[in-house]
Amino acid sequence: MTETQLPAVNREWHLVSRPVGWPKTEDFALVEAEVPQPGEGQVLVRNAYVSVDPYMRGRMSAAKSYVAPYELGKVMQGGAVGEVVASNAEGIEVGDHLLHFLGWREFAVVDAKQAVKVDPQAAPLSTYLGVLGMTGLTAYAGLLRTASFKGGDSVFVSGAAGAVGSQVGQIAKLKGASRVIGSAGSDEKVKLLIEEYGFDAAFNYKNGPVSEQLRAAAPDGVDVYFDNVGGDHLEAAIGSLNRDGRIAICGAISVYNSTEPVSGPKNLARLIQTRGRIEGFLVGDHYDLQAQFVQEVGAWVRSGELKYSETVVEGIENNLEAFFGVLRGDNVGKMIVKL
């Protein structure tokens, strides 16, 4: 086994109680532990960047979902990218860089088969968590496969200034959308969508009823709605959906912290009239698109045709606050913690 000199302490975030409603600081603990050692077929990674994402709120609940809940008293998980500092696995050397899913900690022992080598020379390491990572593939697969996007479609994206939404809008434009509309939570983000990301129209959902603002922004209706928010956004999109319209359900951040059952859209019957379709999806079902995605989106990133933003928070001690920031909508683009 090869390794480099390591510190004695590994800091990691544990879930100590299951949040009810909005998560609180006391639901979590930053714990000091020994730096682990890799076993056969494993490597030790010093995480350089870790991801915080809205879906993590669901894993804090004990409710059955598409992914196992976080265990109480144990370190949490999430996307991370870092440098190999000890290797006990054939084909991976100290100094290699890996993408894996053992974030929320400074050092992680990773099964080599559960990690992907990435090249920091081809793109900045942080991009493998965002524009060229899981969030990017989510945008790509959700728009092109789940929503069956085709050139000439009018597209509405909620949470459009976030990591996924900002890419959905840009990919739609690059693929020939007739009109792209986004919603966001501040006037500054609305300006960013139009001036930086090339959206045709955008609105601040806090400035009035979503349904009214959407009708004004898309007077001819929408063919595709990419949903990151749920709630009133979903109802508004159904109300503006054109004949044979498609809705891809990626997330519903507006209801993640609700403590009471949330009522669904009141206008679902309109899907009969429009012959509309609503379909949920998980990025994990679409990894067969990974190579195509990296090739196409990577080229757009290198050429500058597709722009991306990152909100970077420094230090493992601020990992929790970065997560809270995602739930509040503080981030522009991908929220990342730099360790």
Side-chain angles (χ1 to χ4, degrees):
M1 182 174 73
T2 56
E3 62 180 65
T4 60
Q5 188 67 33
L6 302 175
V9 173
N10 182 29
R11 291 182 294 173
E12 52 188 40
W13 280 98
H14 290 201
L15 183 68
V16 296
S17 60
R18 301 206 180 277
V20 177
W22 277 86
K24 302 181 294 295
T25 303
E26 50 266 35
D27 294 323
F28 308 85
L30 182 58
V31 175
E32 290 190 352
E34 290 185 2
V35 176
Q37 292 298 312
E40 189 66 31
Q42 296 181 323
V43 296
L44 178 65
V45 178
R46 186 197 305 266
N47 288 332
Y49 296 93
V50 301
S51 179
V52 287
D53 302 279
Y55 81 86
M56 294 173 174
R57 176 62 185 88
R59 297 195 68 182
M60 294 170 189
S61 165
K64 186 176 180 180
S65 184
Y66 61 87
V67 64
Y70 291 135
E71 294 184 60
L72 291 179
K74 299 286 183 66
V75 62
M76 294 184 290
Q77 300 166 354
V81 64
E83 183 180 354
V84 175
V85 292
S87 177
N88 209 3
E90 188 176 343
I92 299 180
E93 306 293 336
V94 169
D96 286 345
H97 291 82
L98 298 183
L99 172 67
H100 62 90
F101 291 95
L102 295 178
W104 289 86
R105 69 200 83 185
E106 292 176 305
F107 291 87
V109 165
V110 181
D111 290 335
K113 293 180 180 179
Q114 302 298 317
V116 177
K117 277 189 183 182
V118 296
D119 183 0
Q121 302 303 316
L125 278 179
S126 59
T127 63
Y128 294 105
L129 296 176
V131 65
L132 296 179
M134 185 176 70
T135 54
L137 181 59
T138 299
Y140 189 86
L143 177 68
L144 302 182
R145 179 175 280 174
T146 306
S148 304
F149 171 85
K150 59 185 184 298
D153 280 343
S154 173
V155 178
F156 172 43
V157 188
S158 58
V164 174
S166 59
Q167 276 191 256
V168 171
Q170 291 183 84
I171 292 170
K173 290 292 289 185
L174 288 163
K175 291 282 190 177
S178 61
R179 189 167 177 81
V180 174
I181 304 102
S183 72
S186 73
D187 293 340
E188 291 78 14
K189 289 181 179 180
V190 167
K191 183 178 180 183
L192 177 75
L193 292 176
I194 294 171
E195 296 184 0
E196 181 73 11
Y197 295 146
F199 282 58
D200 297 292
F203 60 86
N204 182 347
Y205 66 83
K206 297 175 183 176
N207 286 347
V210 175
S211 57
E212 294 179 9
Q213 295 196 77
L214 178 58
R215 279 196 297 270
D220 296 323
V222 297
D223 302 301
V224 168
Y225 171 48
F226 193 103
D227 190 16
N228 291 304
V229 173
D232 56 354
H233 281 72
L234 178 56
E235 186 167 297
I238 293 171
S240 285
L241 203 64
N242 289 333
R243 167 74 186 263
D244 298 318
R246 291 87 67 202
I247 295 175
I249 305 291
C250 176
I253 196 169
S254 69
V255 301
Y256 285 168
N257 295 305
S258 299
T259 56
E260 300 295 330
V262 178
S263 59
K266 302 180 183 68
N267 57 349
L268 280 174
R270 192 170 185 277
L271 294 174
I272 303 170
Q273 172 190 342
T274 62
R275 291 75 152 178
R277 169 168 64 85
I278 299 179
E279 183 177 345
F281 75 98
L282 295 175
V283 67
D285 296 332
H286 301 281
Y287 280 119
D288 61 299
L289 293 175
Q290 178 77 25
Q292 174 185 322
F293 155 72
V294 170
Q295 181 179 15
E296 189 165 24
V297 175
W300 287 333
V301 171
R302 287 191 295 274
S303 70
E305 293 174 275
L306 193 148
K307 299 176 174 61
Y308 67 94
S309 298
E310 296 175 339
T311 300
V312 180
V313 172
E314 299 264 354
I316 186 70
E317 64 277 7
N318 295 313
N319 213 106
L320 182 60
E321 182 55 33
F323 172 68
F324 289 164
V326 168
L327 297 182
R328 292 191 299 260
D330 293 351
N331 55 302
V332 173
K334 184 75 184 76
M335 179 75 87
I336 294 172
V337 181
K338 181 180 181 181
L339 305 190

